[in-house]
């Protein structure tokens, strides 16, 4: 019985020694054999990913198109409530463009440009306001003509017809008038007849030219009428 107890104690102590040495020595040998530090946790190195450049262009807003002079004028006319003749479908810019195209030739055979602009009905109703706003935008080269027409300070030319001698412009629907002064007609004239008469219609002076290049006359303030037929334009002599 006592012999058996001694053997058991020795066996227990030997097993304990083996267990302790196995725990410490085995881990140490494993660490030494692998060369790794048990305190360091190994990580997988990051993998570089190539980023391909994008071929899409950045989205940008299209720049706004500035309004044209025509659009600006039409917008102003709408804002002001200006009315335009139905001939132009209510478009202020169409009216002004027509006047711009007409100015080089309209009235050239009988009136000066500012005279035609002011005395041919173009200033009626809202026409003057529209032309004052539109000509500087659409045909600025005629701005000086517009200024003269608006001011009333312009040369008046006279074609064929009978005129009442007066310094005042003709009233709407009234007789045509011509101010006293000296006038000249130039150009090829065949069968040109002119006459000055008194208020009662008596002839003061007249002439019939069958072939002339230049004719100059003087109309007096005391004259009643002046008549011209088959002549060119009578322009004031300065």
């Amino acid at each position: 019985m006592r012999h058996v107890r001694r053997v058991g104690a020795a066996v227990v102590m030997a097993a304990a020694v083996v267990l302790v040495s196995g725990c410490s020595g085995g881990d140490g040998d494993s660490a030494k054999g692998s060369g790794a530090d048990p305190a360091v946790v190994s990580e997988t190195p990051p993998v570089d990913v190539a980023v391909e450049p994008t071929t899409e262009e950045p989205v940008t807003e299209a720049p706004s198109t500035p309004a044209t002079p025509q659009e600006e004028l039409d917008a102003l006319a709408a804002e002001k409530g200006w009315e335009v003749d139905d001939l132009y479908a209510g478009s202020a810019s169409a009216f002004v463009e027509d006047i711009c195209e007409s100015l080089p030739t309209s009235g050239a055979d009988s009136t000066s440009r500012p005279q035609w602009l002011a005395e041919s009905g173009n200033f009626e109703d809202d026409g003057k306001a529209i032309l004052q706003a539109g000509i500087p935008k659409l045909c600025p080269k005629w701005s000086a003509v517009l200024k003269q027409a608006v001011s009333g300070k312009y040369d008046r030319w006279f074609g064929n017809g009978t005129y009442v001698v007066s310094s005042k412009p003709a009233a709407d629907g009234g007789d045509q008038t011509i101010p006293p002064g000296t006038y000249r007609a130039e150009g090829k004239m065949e069968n040109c007849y002119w006459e000055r008469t008194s208020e009662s219609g008596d002839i003061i002076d007249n002439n019939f030219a069958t072939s002339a290049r230049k004719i100059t006359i003087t109309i007096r303030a005391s004259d009643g009428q002046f008549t011209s037929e088959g002549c060119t334009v009578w322009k004031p002599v300065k």
Side-chain angles (χ1 to χ4, degrees):
M1 297 289 296
R2 292 178 181 175
H3 178 70
V4 173
R5 291 191 186 97
R6 286 197 297 268
V7 173
V11 172
V12 171
M13 291 183 66
V17 171
V18 172
L19 179 61
V20 172
S21 63
C23 290
S24 60
D27 291 341
D29 292 342
S30 176
K32 290 178 182 180
S34 65
D37 188 348
V40 178
V41 178
S42 64
E43 297 180 356
T44 303
V47 178
D48 293 336
V49 178
V51 179
E52 297 183 0
T54 179
T55 57
E56 296 181 359
E57 297 183 357
V59 179
T60 57
E61 295 183 0
S64 58
T65 303
T68 64
Q70 289 83 354
E71 292 172 338
E72 291 178 353
L73 179 60
D74 288 335
L76 178 62
E79 178 185 341
K80 297 291 186 180
W82 292 334
E83 296 184 358
V84 186
D85 193 286
D86 292 340
L87 175 66
Y88 303 101
S91 172
S93 61
F95 166 58
V96 175
E97 286 180 331
D98 182 47
I99 297 300
C100 292
E101 293 175 0
S102 301
L103 271 168
T105 57
S106 291
D109 58 340
S110 60
T111 62
S112 65
R113 290 191 180 102
Q115 180 184 358
W116 173 81
L117 192 59
E119 300 178 11
S120 297
N122 299 307
F123 283 177
E124 293 178 359
D125 301 324
D126 294 320
K128 180 189 288 187
I130 295 172
L131 290 173
Q132 285 181 292
I135 285 181
K137 289 179 177 292
L138 304 186
C139 51
K141 68 178 181 178
W142 298 120
S143 294
V145 170
L146 172 67
K147 185 176 180 180
Q148 293 175 32
V150 171
S151 69
K153 298 178 180 179
Y154 52 81
D155 287 341
R156 297 181 67 202
W157 301 351
F158 303 91
N160 294 320
T162 297
Y163 302 87
V164 174
V165 178
S166 174
S167 297
K168 297 179 180 179
D172 292 340
D175 295 330
Q176 298 184 93
T177 62
I178 184 170
T182 300
Y183 296 86
R184 179 175 295 135
E186 295 183 285
K188 185 178 181 180
M189 290 175 280
E190 298 177 355
N191 302 323
C192 166
Y193 175 78
W194 62 266
E195 70 177 24
R196 296 165 48 215
T197 60
S198 64
E199 292 183 357
S200 61
D202 296 328
I203 295 177
I204 299 172
D205 192 9
N206 68 338
N207 191 25
F208 181 76
T210 58
S211 179
R213 294 288 181 176
K214 182 184 298 184
I215 302 174
T216 303
I217 62 170
T218 298
I219 299 174
R220 308 293 181 184
S222 58
D223 292 355
Q225 293 82 223
F226 172 74
T227 299
S228 173
E229 295 177 2
C231 307
T232 58
V233 180
W234 298 95
K235 300 180 182 180
V237 178
K238 298 180 180 179

